[in-house]
Amino acid sequence: MATQSIRVRPRWQKLLAAFTLLVVVLVAAFALLVAFFPWDTLREPLNRFVSEKTGRKFEITRQLDVDLGWKAATVTFDGIEFANPDWARDPYLVKAERASFEIRLWPLLDKQVVIPRLALSAPTVGLQMEADGRRTWAFGKDTSDTGTVPTIGLIQVDKGAVDFLAKHLGVDVHADLDYDSTRGELPLHYRIKGRYKGQPLTADGRTGDVLQINAAGAPPFPLEINAAAGQTKLKASGTVAQLAGFDGIDAKFQVKGQTLSALYPLTGVVLPQTPPYALSGGLRKRGKLWEAAGLNGRLGLSDIGGDMSFDQAEKVPRLSGMLRSRVMDMDDLGPLIGLPPTARSANAVEGVAPVASAQPKRPPGGKVLPTTPFDFGRLHAMNADVSYTAERIRNVREVPLDRGSVKIKLTDGVLSLDPLDLGVASGKLVGAVRIDAGKTPTDIRVSMDVRGLKLARLIPKLESSGNSVGQLDGRINLSGAGNSVASWLGGASGDMAVLSGRGQFGNLMPVFATLVGGDILKFLLRGDRDVELRCAALAFDVNKGVMSGRTLVLDTTNAVFTATGQANLATETLDFVIRPEPKSASILSLRTPLVVSGTFGAPKGGVEVGPLAGRGLAALALGAINPLLALAATIETGPGENADCTGVLAVANRPTAGVAARGAAKAKGARQP
């Protein structure tokens, strides 16, 4: 048994040794074949094969070389011309003096082209994509996303040019590239010219020597850019991890332009009309989330700061954040309601050309309500949840706004400003605005409460004279449809009221209003004195743009003023009659109803001719008998009586049933429960 076993082992050892030797010889032969294979002999067959498979001309013009490995191969083309499809504008997808790339072998079995690295020498590249999905860099014959699209990691370019056209995206740009190793970490310089989103685009900057199209795990590469698209200018520097999805951004930026709304076609972010702006901050992008941190800059004459984020991962992109202003200037509010910025605001940002319509002159008597239409259709492009606070509002137009805050929400085309809180004249204006862009024309509802406004602060002359008046309270509840401030107000319905209780003020203003000559003489001889305000109410029913006076009463210790009439918000016309009733006997009174007419842009004031003429004729007749008797025609016996303030305020607080009441109730629905 032992002897027989010793005889078998050498035989198996010989077989194993022979097999091992055969494998080694075959591997060595294959290695020698690969190492010394004349790859260039495959150049013409390869040219024909690629041309047939892609349906366009492919040619390695001088020499082909391959360094074959187990997992990947490094292929070098000395001279390459790869044509574009016949529908493309540029004749070549790529034409270069030299191209070298690494290609993964195993993914080829699954018809996937993975190129971890690509180096091009003096290339011209023509990239184009169409709305139907066709792309010049898709290798399938249909040149769509269903064709073979290579996955490219790193790209190295020494110099060359790239054209990119996508008409449906509004993109048509040309870039010139120049490589210089003496530029340190940013040796590749680029210059871009063309159009982006329908606006002229120019840009230049530098990058690292390797562009990371889609290279996982590679370190970020540095990037600098100085660009201008239309009136929008951008400077940024930082790093980008991947160019394919423009991902992994960490950068500092500065952007300025004529209005933030112009960023919508460039970025897809819906922002309001503003005066010229300049902003800086930090920008990050991770996946579909953009973050702008530490924002700081100006909107016209106002400062602005805060943090914002824009999430594109959801079905409808979402903007969120918190913004604040230490000082907000009222001149910057005009564009929000359709007015151009003032000359002060339009010229407040250095390096931004002022808006052409920044200093329009309204013709005498022209309409004053803003007619500029809002692009409410943009409200469907995204959702939003943004808070804004102004710590102080500069009193520029003699309206004493102190501070303000607003919560802005946009959901499925419905924009709400709720709560909206403004500090006005030591009081508050609080409420909500709701804009539903899902309806045509746009449904707009405004519900605001006026709380504790000091009349002395609303009328600077009273404040400077040291006189004081009781506080004002009131409300605005209006609803209607329109695409501008003017069109909305011209058809709005609801309720408007301003109410005041007791207070006091100098008697100069009511004296002139009532034309009580005797009181004027007493004022001139004795100086000013205080007159008590018993109550005041200005309340309107608004019916499809027509403001009809429901209660128009001002009751003081020396006179009662009652008024009737209306203001038409559509035609911007005024038609009021004010009837003063002095409460004490007075000499030299020419008491007669006052008429307020004209337009919002050119109001007119006067007296009713009939009553005044009657008093004048009586004075002339008596004067013919005795000049002293002429004074009898101007003696006012004081028929005015105290108003029932409780009843006046109660009536003012209730809109008349009907269209006005329904409009007011609808407007109140703008507020959160």
Side-chain angles (χ1 to χ4, degrees):
M1 294 285 296
T3 304
Q4 188 176 10
S5 176
I6 292 173
R7 290 187 187 134
V8 172
R9 285 179 181 173
R11 182 181 176 187
W12 281 106
Q13 290 177 356
K14 289 179 181 180
L15 290 175
L16 179 60
F19 178 76
T20 301
L21 179 60
L22 178 61
V23 171
V24 170
V25 170
L26 290 176
V27 170
F30 180 76
L32 291 173
L33 177 63
V34 170
F36 295 100
F37 185 82
W39 293 102
D40 192 54
T41 59
L42 300 179
R43 177 160 52 96
E44 290 301 329
L46 181 60
N47 289 343
R48 291 191 298 269
F49 177 80
V50 175
S51 297
E52 179 183 346
K53 289 295 183 181
T54 60
R56 40 186 156 145
K57 183 181 178 181
F58 174 85
E59 183 175 5
I60 304 168
T61 58
R62 289 186 292 273
Q63 188 174 355
L64 166 66
D65 191 22
V66 177
D67 184 5
L68 192 61
W70 288 107
K71 295 183 178 181
T74 300
V75 182
T76 301
F77 299 151
D78 187 11
I80 179 176
E81 295 179 357
F82 193 10
N84 264 326
D86 55 10
W87 50 262
R89 178 183 62 184
D90 294 322
Y92 292 102
L93 171 63
V94 59
K95 183 177 181 180
E97 289 296 316
R98 183 181 176 88
S100 178
F101 61 92
E102 178 184 344
I103 184 169
R104 298 276 175 84
L105 298 178
W106 298 114
L108 291 175
L109 299 177
D110 196 28
K111 297 182 179 180
Q112 296 181 15
V113 179
V114 179
I115 301 176
R117 183 187 60 83
L118 171 63
L120 299 172
S121 176
T124 58
V125 179
L127 305 176
Q128 185 171 335
M129 62 185 304
E130 297 295 312
D132 58 8
R134 290 177 297 166
R135 305 181 181 190
T136 57
W137 59 91
F139 292 161
K141 286 188 177 182
D142 61 356
T143 63
S144 69
D145 285 338
T146 59
T148 303
V149 179
T151 300
I152 300 176
L154 307 177
I155 291 184
Q156 292 176 292
V157 180
D158 56 3
K159 62 180 181 179
V162 178
D163 283 281
F164 180 64
L165 174 64
K167 290 182 179 180
H168 64 292
L169 299 178
V171 181
D172 185 0
V173 296
H174 172 85
D176 290 310
L177 309 174
D178 182 28
Y179 182 84
D180 186 346
S181 60
T182 64
R183 297 190 182 115
E185 294 183 354
L186 300 169
L188 185 64
H189 178 260
Y190 62 88
R191 293 174 301 277
I192 299 174
K193 187 175 182 180
R195 299 188 70 82
Y196 181 71
K197 301 294 185 180
Q199 300 186 39
L201 171 69
T202 59
D204 66 85
R206 300 185 302 163
T207 75
D209 59 347
V210 176
L211 304 182
Q212 293 168 208
I213 302 299
N214 196 1
F221 70 96
L223 175 69
E224 291 181 356
I225 186 170
N226 184 3
Q231 295 296 325
T232 303
K233 299 178 181 178
L234 170 69
K235 287 185 177 181
S237 61
T239 59
V240 180
Q242 295 182 7
L243 277 181
F246 216 56
D247 198 14
I249 297 175
D250 278 291
K252 299 291 185 182
F253 74 92
Q254 298 176 356
V255 61
K256 61 176 60 177
Q258 287 187 338
T259 172
L260 285 175
S261 66
L263 293 177
Y264 172 68
L266 301 175
T267 65
V269 180
V270 179
L271 296 171
Q273 288 283 346
T274 67
Y277 68 92
L279 293 171
S280 62
L283 183 66
R284 287 168 49 92
K285 182 175 185 286
R286 297 295 183 270
K288 297 290 185 178
L289 179 64
W290 294 79
E291 295 177 305
L295 289 173
N296 183 42
R298 304 193 66 80
L299 294 178
L301 298 160
S302 307
D303 68 272
I304 189 77
D307 303 295
M308 299 291 290
S309 64
F310 187 58
D311 191 353
Q312 296 175 302
E314 302 180 26
K315 183 178 179 180
V316 179
R318 182 179 182 84
L319 179 71
S320 59
M322 298 183 65
L323 297 173
R324 61 187 177 276
S325 294
R326 292 185 296 273
V327 178
M328 193 275 285
D329 196 292
M330 288 181 59
D331 268 16
D332 301 324
L333 295 180
L336 292 176
I337 60 172
L339 294 174
T342 65
R344 294 176 65 249
S345 182
N347 290 279
V349 177
E350 185 179 355
V352 179
V355 183
S357 59
Q359 306 178 45
K361 291 186 177 181
R362 179 173 51 84
K367 290 192 173 184
V368 298
L369 295 178
T371 59
T372 303
F374 296 109
D375 189 359
F376 288 128
R378 292 183 176 184
L379 298 182
H380 295 282
M382 71 175 200
N383 293 329
D385 188 351
V386 178
S387 297
Y388 172 73
T389 300
E391 298 174 7
R392 183 166 70 89
I393 301 178
R394 192 148 41 203
N395 182 10
V396 176
R397 296 177 183 172
E398 298 186 353
V399 177
L401 286 169
D402 304 315
R403 53 163 181 76
S405 64
V406 62
K407 181 74 170 179
I408 304 168
K409 290 187 177 181
L410 176 59
T411 305
D412 298 330
V414 178
L415 174 66
S416 65
L417 310 180
D418 186 15
L420 174 59
D421 187 343
L422 298 175
V424 186
S426 301
K428 279 187 174 185
L429 184 64
V430 296
V433 177
R434 183 181 186 274
I435 300 173
D436 187 350
K439 298 181 179 179
T440 304
T442 303
D443 179 71
I444 304 175
R445 307 177 190 183
V446 175
S447 180
M448 303 292 295
D449 288 337
V450 179
R451 302 174 183 172
L453 273 63
K454 305 299 183 183
L455 187 57
R457 289 205 60 200
L458 285 174
I459 304 176
K461 290 182 180 179
L462 288 178
E463 186 176 29
S464 62
S465 68
N467 295 308
S468 62
V469 179
Q471 68 184 26
L472 295 179
D473 298 287
R475 63 182 176 274
I476 301 172
N477 290 310
L478 293 176
S479 61
N483 294 316
S484 69
V485 171
S487 65
W488 171 63
L489 287 175
S493 297
D495 167 41
M496 300 176 65
V498 178
L499 313 174
S500 179
R502 289 184 176 273
Q504 64 180 24
F505 55 90
N507 71 340
L508 183 61
M509 182 176 66
V511 162
F512 275 112
T514 56
L515 300 179
V516 182
D519 279 348
I520 292 177
L521 292 178
K522 286 187 290 183
F523 171 78
L524 294 175
L525 293 175
R526 296 168 49 194
D528 197 6
R529 63 183 177 86
D530 287 337
V531 173
E532 182 182 352
L533 172 68
R534 298 187 66 248
C535 61
L538 301 176
F540 297 89
D541 290 322
V542 186
N543 186 341
K544 297 181 180 179
V546 178
M547 297 174 54
S548 300
R550 180 171 70 244
T551 304
L552 305 176
V553 175
L554 175 66
D555 185 13
T556 73
T557 53
N558 73 339
V560 177
F561 301 83
T562 59
T564 57
Q566 64 182 27
N568 192 312
L569 297 173
T571 60
E572 297 192 14
T573 55
L574 301 167
D575 184 12
F576 290 96
V577 176
I578 305 173
R579 293 178 174 83
E581 300 288 345
K583 294 181 179 180
S584 61
S586 177
I587 299 177
L588 296 181
S589 174
L590 296 179
R591 179 177 61 85
T592 190
L594 306 176
V595 175
V596 178
S597 60
T599 66
F600 294 179
K604 299 176 182 179
V607 296
E608 285 191 347
V609 177
L612 184 60
R615 289 191 176 221
L617 291 174
L620 288 174
L622 292 173
I625 302 173
N626 187 332
L628 292 178
L629 294 178
L631 292 176
T634 65
I635 293 177
E636 175 58 64
T637 58
E641 298 180 356
N642 289 341
D644 177 11
C645 285
T646 301
V648 165
L649 297 180
V651 173
N653 260 319
R654 293 192 301 269
T656 303
V659 176
R662 290 193 296 272
K666 185 177 180 181
K668 291 179 181 179
R671 303 195 188 195
Q672 291 181 349

